Amino acid sequence: GSSDIVHLRQSPDFRLSVNTLLRNGILPTNGDLQAQTEALASQLKQDSVVEEIFAGRGVIHFRVNSVEDVFEILYLLVNYLGDWGMQFGLLGAGFQLFGCQEKLKKNPLQHLFDVYVQVNKEAENNEVIGQAAREFFRRLEQQEHQALLLWKQFREITVEEYQQVYKRLGVHFDIYSGESFHQQQAQEVVQQLQRRGLLKTTEKGTGVVDLSSAGDMSSYSTVLRSDGTSLYITRDLAAAIDRKERYNFDEMIYVTDKSQGIHFQQLFQILLAMGHSCHNTKNRLCQHVPFGLVQGMKTRLGEVVFLEDVLDEARARMLRNMSQSKTTKEMVYPEDTAEKVGISALIVQDFKGPLGSDYKFDWDRILQAQGDTGVFLQYTHARLCSLIHRYGDREEGAFDPSLLLDQRSISILQHLLRYDEVLYQSVQDLQPKHLVNFLMTLSHLAASAHRELPVKGSPQAVAQARLRLFSGVCTVLANGMKILGITPVEKM
């Protein structure tokens, strides 16, 4: 658990208390504490992240390459795709009516989307199409060859397209999973519910779980359709149980839009009733982090927005802004910089408020060079990089901290001291806004210090101390941006 690992303030190191392991029964309590500490330290292996392991008094120290690597080890990122269910019945039936393999190869996501919109519109006035969709999904659930072939093609194409977009965002998933992986296990979950006396059958023939405290069915969750096919929640139950058995996780965090809030309340309630180790009264290991909706987002291509089009437009607008700005530096690959800065503008806009709040999207506001934007963070970082690059030779060797006693320097130093506390707060409530706001304030402080604490023309010792201060700001700014998924640029 996290209480066993303590972050050391002065460097990116960690230490493990052997006492905690003894208390929790992980190590046998017989024998000398120091001898056990040294024996355990000698068994632990270094790797690409942990570069040094040594025993202290009852404590094992780990020196690591970077804190970001440690966080990546601790978390497994799973992209759980909605790749099964009645919507695939509609898409399968729709593709047989309106689909075209040529268009599918040329622009897969757009074509599947067009087919889906068209079949939904037709299904409203035509019961035959609704019937065909239910029939296609039933064939999928029964593993019928032709239906599965078409479904597989949709899935593979979609995942390939997603991976391209995620690559642009610098997002990497360890596993691409989905509802389809758990359709067989979903039937086992239904049997488990039945064995525990939690499954009831309604007059319509559907299978439900009573969630009311009085046991009067005033609140219930449907886990089985009358034709015996599974639902979203049935597959989610199967997925939670499977992940606990497969990975034995300490916590599982679901990140989805907030419209699924009730779904997760019901999911966790059923897991509690089942008494499964992945979420029970003793260990509530599952939690839901909901995010709000983006309102008013449009691109030139229309109302329904694909992420790829948003990224293209952010890059194009940023490129135009850079070409019109007097301060833009000469660059070998301006498109690459525009892409990185455009993406940081989108990320900061998304993360600067509470995750669960909706917000109005405004292209001009999010791409402003001044104000609380990703562009401003990048601009501040690039200016500091250029300052350090120009006078970097003065940064070497010892420096005199007593030359940083002016109010501007002290404000920056006091703010930098809060960095680990802000990271801790972000981990505690899983809200990136704390880090975004910290970096914004740091950038504003750095911008005024840059104006009022010149390096150029100052005495050597003063220049050296200021440069060291700016270098510290630059490092924290870059690391903070990387944690948010932003690639810092050194020129813009």
Side-chain angles (χ1 to χ4, degrees), residues 25-289:
I26 294 164
L27 286 177
T29 46
N30 50 359
D32 171 48
L33 175 67
Q34 195 52 33
Q36 278 183 301
T37 305
E38 284 163 17
L40 184 59
S42 69
Q43 285 168 24
L44 296 168
K45 302 271 188 292
Q46 288 156 256
D47 60 16
S48 61
V49 175
V50 179
E51 55 182 31
E52 195 181 347
I53 300 166
F54 54 96
R57 293 180 59 185
V59 173
I60 297 172
H61 295 269
F62 299 87
R63 182 150 289 133
V64 298
N65 288 320
S66 86
V67 178
E68 286 92 338
D69 288 340
V70 176
F71 284 117
E72 280 183 17
I73 284 177
L74 294 176
Y75 284 95
L76 186 69
L77 295 176
V78 180
N79 191 344
Y80 184 68
L81 301 168
D83 62 357
W84 202 254
M86 199 46 85
Q87 74 275 25
F88 274 88
L90 269 168
L91 192 58
F95 195 81
Q96 288 168 333
L97 292 167
F98 317 115
C100 159
Q101 283 290 349
E102 266 312 296
K103 286 181 182 170
L104 187 63
K105 284 197 176 68
K106 213 162 136 195
N107 193 344
L109 288 187
Q110 185 68 52
H111 184 53
L112 288 178
F113 176 74
D114 293 342
V115 167
Y116 190 64
V117 169
Q118 197 176 350
V119 74
N120 267 294
K121 205 181 283 175
E122 297 284 332
E124 281 172 23
N125 316 313
N126 186 344
E127 182 39 42
V128 176
I129 288 186
Q131 191 54 49
R134 284 190 291 277
E135 178 54 28
F136 189 88
F137 182 50
R138 198 188 52 72
R139 284 165 54 202
L140 269 184
E141 287 253 303
Q142 290 176 351
Q143 307 284 302
E144 199 227 80
H145 183 66
Q146 280 310 110
L148 272 179
L149 268 184
L150 191 58
W151 169 82
K152 256 199 185 104
Q153 191 187 10
F154 293 160
R155 191 186 191 281
E156 278 164 17
I157 283 171
T158 310
V159 169
E160 267 170 40
E161 287 284 303
Y162 283 167
Q163 281 173 326
Q164 292 306 316
V165 179
Y166 286 134
K167 196 173 176 184
R168 283 179 72 176
L169 283 167
V171 171
H172 165 77
F173 286 100
D174 300 297
I175 295 162
Y176 277 82
S177 173
E179 293 180 62
S180 62
F181 286 65
H182 302 288
Q183 28 124 356
Q184 300 299 102
Q185 295 161 330
Q187 297 301 333
E188 291 165 29
V189 167
V190 172
Q191 286 161 16
Q192 281 181 43
L193 289 167
Q194 206 159 15
R195 282 199 298 276
R196 287 182 166 268
L198 295 167
L199 189 73
K200 294 186 165 58
T201 308
T202 64
E203 288 167 12
K204 293 178 189 164
T206 57
V208 301
V209 176
D210 183 3
L211 298 174
S212 64
S213 49
D216 58 4
M217 291 285 285
S218 54
S219 148
Y220 63 86
S221 173
T222 307
V223 294
L224 205 62
R225 287 198 186 83
S226 54
D227 63 1
T229 54
S230 61
L231 281 94
Y232 180 50
I233 195 159
T234 333
R235 296 185 285 275
D236 242 352
L237 287 164
I241 292 168
D242 177 63
R243 287 182 202 131
K244 183 64 181 162
E245 286 165 5
R246 202 181 286 258
Y247 307 114
N248 194 21
F249 56 78
D250 293 317
E251 64 174 334
M252 175 157 59
I253 301 162
Y254 293 88
V255 184
T256 73
D257 81 285
K258 62 184 178 185
S259 69
Q260 296 197 43
I262 292 170
H263 163 79
F264 285 106
Q265 276 173 17
Q266 295 189 341
L267 176 71
F268 300 159
Q269 216 177 327
I270 295 172
L271 286 170
L272 281 177
M274 291 174 80
H276 196 275
S277 62
C278 68
H279 192 76
N280 52 48
T281 43
K282 211 167 101 191
N283 292 314
R284 294 177 184 241
L285 305 181
C286 301
Q287 61 171 316
H288 178 218
V289 173

